[in-house]
């Protein structure tokens, strides 16, 4: 279930907003300058489809967005539990990379083909947690302070859009604000009104 939760940036003790209505999520994020769209999901694309299959399935949407925004690179990032003995180490490293508050010199555009992840947008004096799931596209504007949590056991595939040839480059703020808020697993389980993130 796609979800938007908003708290003061002092912590999650007071919930300002909680909605799973896509129209309300879109309106609230649009007011913040954040892009949110829902794309139709082809049933023939499995959760762990390879990059070629994903790009082919979403070709028209990718072409439209690329033409609108001038993206130069589109790729597919996936991480799924399985038979790979290296998965736990890969998952822990991937999660840790994005958990601290940071900004980018480019917009961060992600479309979720499968699975889920939470983007935390620190805008003004509020933190907006957006639980994105299959069919959700989120566009975080350049310069927006944010962080991302894929959960303790990541299982997702996402299409990424870039204008820069060097891809994902983060500038970390050094803030510890992210540690005060509920993590992906807490929010995805339907909780998160109070409490802080645990590792």
């Amino acid at each position: 279930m796609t979800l938007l939760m908003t708290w003061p940036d002092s912590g999650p003790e007071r919930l300002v907003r909680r909605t799973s209505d896509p129209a309300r999520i879109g309106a609230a994020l649009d007011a913040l300058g954040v892009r949110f769209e829902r794309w139709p999901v082809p049933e023939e694309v499995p959760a762990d489809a390879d990059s070629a299959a994903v790009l082919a399935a979403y070709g028209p949407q990718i072409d439209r967005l690329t033409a609108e925004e001038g993206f130069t690179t589109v790729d597919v990032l996936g991480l799924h539990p399985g038979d790979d003995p290296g998965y736990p180490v890969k998952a822990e490293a991937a999660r840790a990379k994005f958990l601290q508050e940071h900004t980018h010199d480019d917009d961060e555009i992600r479309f979720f083909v499968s699975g889920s992840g939470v983007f935390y947008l620190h805008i003004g004096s509020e933190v907006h947690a957006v639980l994105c799931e299959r069919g959700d596209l989120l566009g975080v504007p350049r310069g927006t302070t944010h962080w991302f949590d894929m959960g303790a056991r990541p299982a997702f595939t996402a299409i990424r859009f870039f204008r820069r040839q060097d891809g994902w480059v983060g500038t970390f703020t050094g803030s510890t604000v992210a540690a005060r808020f509920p993590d992906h697993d807490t929010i995805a389980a339907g909780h998160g009104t109070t409490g802080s993130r645990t590792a």
Side-chain angles (χ1 to χ4, degrees):
M1 174 181 67
T2 307
L3 183 67
L4 171 63
M5 301 176 74
T6 301
W7 306 276
D9 63 4
S10 56
E13 291 75 21
R14 180 171 66 87
L15 186 63
V16 175
R17 176 195 294 116
R18 178 188 175 106
T19 181
S20 59
D21 182 316
R24 291 185 177 183
I25 292 172
L29 293 177
D30 183 64
L32 298 170
V34 176
R35 183 176 196 143
F36 175 77
E37 296 179 7
R38 296 276 304 154
W39 288 3
V41 177
E43 293 301 324
E44 69 273 12
V45 181
D48 59 351
D50 64 23
S51 295
V54 169
L55 294 174
Y58 289 96
Q61 293 95 329
I62 291 170
D63 291 346
R64 173 186 61 81
L65 192 58
T66 298
E68 286 178 6
E69 299 291 341
F71 296 117
T72 59
T73 305
V74 179
D75 69 11
V76 177
L77 177 67
L79 190 57
H80 297 271
D83 297 332
D84 179 2
Y87 168 81
V89 173
K90 289 178 186 175
E92 184 177 1
R95 186 185 192 200
K97 179 178 180 180
F98 306 113
L99 273 178
Q100 301 305 312
E101 185 181 72
H102 58 276
T103 63
H104 302 291
D105 291 335
D106 193 3
D107 296 345
E108 183 166 359
I109 311 292
R110 301 291 181 267
F111 172 74
F112 283 81
V113 176
S114 66
S116 66
V118 180
F119 279 92
Y120 299 79
L121 313 173
H122 188 185
I123 300 174
S125 60
E126 293 183 323
V127 169
H128 310 270
V130 189
L131 173 63
C132 295
E133 297 192 323
R134 188 180 187 204
D136 292 336
L137 180 136
L138 190 74
V140 181
R142 70 188 69 188
T144 302
T145 49
H146 68 286
W147 65 96
F148 175 75
D149 189 8
M150 60 185 72
R153 191 170 169 79
F156 72 94
T157 298
I159 301 173
R160 307 187 302 172
F161 298 83
F162 299 102
R163 293 187 186 89
R164 295 171 53 125
Q165 294 297 323
D166 48 0
W168 193 95
V169 177
T171 301
F172 292 88
T173 67
S175 171
T176 59
V177 63
R180 296 200 290 266
F181 291 88
D183 66 3
H184 168 278
D185 298 343
T186 301
I187 291 174
H191 307 295
T193 301
T194 61
S196 60
R197 192 179 69 213
T198 56

